[in-house]
Amino acid sequence: AQSVTQLDSQVPVFEEAPVELRCNYSSSVSVYLFWYVQYPNQGLQLLLKYLSGSTLVESINGFEAEFNKSQTSFHLRKPSVHISDTAEYFCAVRASGGYQKVTFGIGTKLQVIP
Amino acid sequence: DSGVTQTPKHLITATGQRVTLRCSPRSGDLSVYWYQQSLDQGLQFLIQYYNGEERAKGNILERFSAQQFPDLHSELNLSSLELGDSALYFCASSGAGSGYEQYFGPGTRLTVT
């Protein structure tokens, strides 16, 4: 079974400052990793994912995450946040291959302060 | 718009009652997932169906049941409702070629009074 730990439930950050949202996972098999974002009153939507290949993955709106197998981490970073990034961010993991359920972390609320 | 639809958007009912939440997946997606999101428990995976068959089960209570129909829409049935069942219920779908991405619907907000 897999598990995900998001270490921060809330992260306040000033606009244009950098941010890192931390995610650690636990698994005995190889995994796929995801970050989803949930804007207020909406469902979740995929931000970025790691399936294989380059350990650094990027989203279209400036976020990036790096898969670190030795540290079992998949932290999400952005060098300069905008007000519009205010949302809840969920890290998720699933075992690779076959029909596998996805396990979500508890979420991190990013609050961007003007 | 993810392409996943859920009805109703809001539902208010009393304890002890039974409700049915409906989900239509994205066109062509064979997998449907149900999640419960509450303030104290976060996002909890309930159950997954693939082309009409149950594939994976999570923290789904015995009072809850689900099914996926031949047209691939899915229903989540919640019975003997308790105050603690008040939550947002999300449906998600995925399909071949989606790179394991799940597409989430807008959710149904259930309030049990």
Side-chain angles (χ1 to χ4, degrees), chain A residues 3 6 11 13-14 20-21 23 47 51-52 82 110:
Chain A
S3 66
Q6 290 185 248
V11 173
V13 62
F14 286 103
E20 178 180 81
L21 306 184
C23 171
L47 190 59
L51 302 182
S52 64
H82 301 123
L110 175 63

Side-chain angles (χ1 to χ4, degrees), chain A residues 36 38 44 46 49 94 102, chain B residues 37 90 99-102 104:
Chain A
Y36 282 81
Q38 184 180 27
L44 281 71
L46 183 71
K49 64 186 176 188
R94 59 158 275 168
V102 177
Chain B
Q37 186 179 36
F90 286 106
Y100 305 102
E101 175 179 356
Q102 292 185 20
F104 281 76

Side-chain angles (χ1 to χ4, degrees), chain A residues 55-104:
Chain A
T55 57
L56 184 65
V57 290
E58 297 177 354
S59 72
I60 57 172
N61 57 352
F63 283 93
E64 65 179 30
E66 186 158 20
F67 170 56
N68 187 319
K69 191 174 180 180
S70 61
Q71 297 190 4
T72 61
S73 67
F74 192 55
H75 301 330
L76 182 69
R77 301 184 184 96
K78 189 170 185 181
S80 175
V81 295
H82 301 123
I83 293 288
S84 60
D85 294 323
T86 295
E88 189 158 16
Y89 293 79
F90 293 86
C91 183
V93 63
R94 59 158 275 168
S96 60
Y99 297 103
Q100 305 286 346
K101 70 169 189 167
V102 177
T103 301
F104 284 82

Side-chain angles (χ1 to χ4, degrees), chain B residues 42-101:
Chain B
L43 191 67
Q44 298 284 318
F45 167 70
L46 296 178
I47 198 164
Q48 176 196 356
Y49 280 84
Y50 177 81
N51 202 20
E53 291 187 11
E54 182 184 306
R55 280 291 179 184
K57 224 168 183 174
N59 302 323
I60 188 165
L61 300 172
E62 284 192 14
R63 300 183 285 109
F64 296 0
S65 65
Q67 52 184 325
Q68 185 179 27
F69 295 86
D71 67 352
L72 301 178
H73 91 272
S74 178
E75 292 181 357
L76 179 67
N77 300 296
L78 315 176
S79 61
S80 303
L81 284 168
E82 302 176 357
L83 294 178
D85 298 327
S86 295
L88 259 176
Y89 291 84
F90 286 106
C91 166
S93 74
S94 68
S98 69
Y100 305 102
E101 175 179 356

